[in-house]
Amino acid sequence: MENKLWIGSHVSFNKTDQLLASVKEAISYQATTFMFYTGAPQNTVRSEIDDFKTIEAMKLMKENGIDIQKVIVHAPYIINLANRKNLDFGISFLIQELERCDQLGMKYLVLHPGSHIGMGIEEGIKNIVDGLNEVLKKYHGNTKILLETMAGKGSEIGSNFQELKMILGGVTYSNRLGICLDTCHLNDAGYDLTDFDKLLEEFDQVIGIDKIGCIHINDSKNEKGSHKDRHENIGFGTIGFAPLLKIIYHQKLENIPKILETPYINGDYPPYKQEIEMIRNQKFDENLIEKIISFYSE
Ligand code: FE
Ligand code: FE
Ligand code: ZN
């Protein structure tokens, strides 16, 4: 059987067409998966899910070779489980998001572990563990939480494998947790993506490859170890095309969905259709940006 590349990008989920709009956008990029927020990432306003739209969306996914098991939801970044002050809000909103995932038929919710905001890493990790334990005690649905590897910007927790391991180790039902790798974040956190086999080996030793549920594929605007977290288009940043391609086609990561979160060109044009095409061609196109601009301004 031919191995399929599970690649897609971040897409939008709008109020009127909801998941159907997300699927249509993903198809327009020739993607085989996608990722979305179930509402604005920076606030708690959530429209009620229209099951008729969801059914239509599922049908469209099937017809276009998108496997719903590989589709990813991203939790809003207003949830910060590391901060004790907002823990109750974070817990209840996270449970609500997990329930929305179930209603939409989704299996994975990516979550930023949180920022300790001056309380210290140890205290932050303790709060995250308490928060996740509370969430998983109350929520019994099918959606798995994937903790994302972070760049280490500000007081972000989860910029190294040890911190993520401590979280997984403290959570009672850690079989309902997994990890989402983000290539830009790994680079900015100080990991060397040009020696990915070594990185993966280290990850396997500390956490275990089987825990990886998703990979965010982004180039980075900044040097390794910069702790900046600014994504760049594929092949145009400090990581470069070849190392990213190697990760995308890595045998041990074959069935894992790869999601692009690269920046829009000039803030207007989504780069995903052309980036996905370039990835499938396995050849860097130095004129990609111009191509995208002319595609959308015609
Ligand atoms: Fe993220
Ligand atoms: Fe990411
Ligand atoms: Zn990022």
Side-chain angles (χ1 to χ4, degrees):
M1 205 184 94
E2 192 204 338
N3 281 318
K4 195 165 168 176
L5 182 62
W6 299 104
I7 190 142
S9 70
H10 170 254
V11 298
S12 52
F13 175 96
N14 68 33
K15 246 189 239 147
T16 41
D17 277 343
Q18 301 188 344
L19 189 63
L20 186 59
S22 313
V23 174
K24 284 179 179 167
E25 187 181 342
I27 291 169
S28 80
Y29 303 148
Q30 266 141 25
T32 48
T33 181
F34 59 93
M35 180 176 82
F36 64 100
Y37 290 95
T38 78
Q42 69 280 15
N43 68 45
T44 56
V45 181
R46 292 291 178 269
S47 50
E48 209 187 303
I49 289 163
D50 178 344
D51 291 334
F52 291 104
K53 294 284 181 199
T54 307
I55 290 165
E56 258 188 275
M58 286 176 172
K59 191 167 159 266
L60 201 59
M61 275 189 253
K62 231 181 170 170
E63 289 166 1
N64 287 275
I66 296 175
D67 181 357
I68 193 166
Q69 308 274 349
K70 311 262 189 231
V71 177
I72 308 288
V73 181
H74 200 304
Y77 35 76
I78 38 162
I79 297 176
N80 180 11
L81 297 182
N83 184 3
R84 174 78 40 190
K85 263 209 219 140
N86 288 314
L87 202 53
D88 288 341
F89 160 77
I91 290 165
S92 64
F93 202 63
L94 186 52
I95 292 172
Q96 196 191 309
E97 281 294 296
L98 287 161
E99 284 165 351
R100 286 169 72 79
C101 287
D102 284 328
Q103 198 183 345
L104 290 162
M106 299 299 150
K107 295 280 175 286
Y108 298 104
L109 179 68
V110 169
L111 175 73
H112 295 177
S115 297
H116 65 73
I117 341 186
M119 306 299 285
I121 290 172
E122 219 173 299
E123 169 73 17
I125 289 177
K126 188 187 174 294
N127 294 339
I128 295 167
V129 167
D130 289 350
L132 289 173
N133 272 328
E134 199 58 29
V135 166
L136 295 176
K137 205 167 77 187
K138 289 181 181 150
Y139 165 76
H140 298 282
N142 294 314
T143 302
K144 229 181 186 179
I145 298 170
L146 302 178
L147 300 171
E148 183 165 354
T149 61
M150 303 309 290
K153 189 171 122 190
S155 62
E156 273 173 359
I157 290 168
S159 63
N160 65 63
F161 304 154
Q162 278 71 25
E163 290 174 11
L164 294 166
K165 184 200 173 130
M166 277 195 259
I167 298 170
L168 294 176
V171 174
T172 311
Y173 300 106
S174 61
N175 59 317
R176 292 160 68 197
L177 296 177
I179 299 289
C180 169
L181 300 177
D182 183 309
T183 56
C184 169
H185 298 175
L186 287 168
N187 173 77
D188 290 16
Y191 287 100
D192 182 7
L193 288 152
T194 61
D195 194 355
F196 188 70
D197 285 313
K198 192 180 149 215
L199 187 154
L200 201 58
E201 173 76 43
E202 187 187 333
F203 183 87
D204 196 34
Q205 303 252 311
V206 180
I207 294 175
I209 288 187
D210 57 322
K211 280 283 180 193
I212 302 172
C214 174
I215 306 178
H216 290 167
I217 304 287
N218 304 303
D219 215 324
S220 174
K221 285 193 197 296
N222 295 97
E223 294 304 320
K224 179 165 74 95
S226 63
H227 304 294
K228 287 265 173 55
D229 189 7
R230 292 191 64 214
H231 302 184
E232 182 55 285
N233 294 101
I234 304 301
F236 292 89
T238 57
I239 302 171
F241 191 67
L244 291 172
L245 202 67
K246 190 180 165 183
I247 298 166
I248 294 166
Y249 286 97
H250 202 288
Q251 244 189 13
K252 288 182 178 164
L253 307 171
E254 227 167 39
N255 289 312
I256 294 165
K258 322 276 181 341
I259 304 290
L260 304 168
E261 303 173 296
T262 48
Y264 273 38
I265 308 303
N266 299 338
D268 283 328
Y269 309 130
Y272 309 122
K273 177 183 162 67
Q274 288 78 9
E275 283 182 332
I276 289 170
E277 195 186 352
M278 177 170 75
I279 286 164
R280 287 210 177 97
N281 291 336
Q282 301 192 37
K283 196 175 172 297
F284 180 60
D285 179 357
E286 54 183 23
N287 299 313
L288 193 83
I289 307 297
E290 291 73 27
K291 255 190 198 165
I292 296 165
I293 294 170
S294 71
F295 179 82
Y296 285 103
S297 48
E298 254 160 32

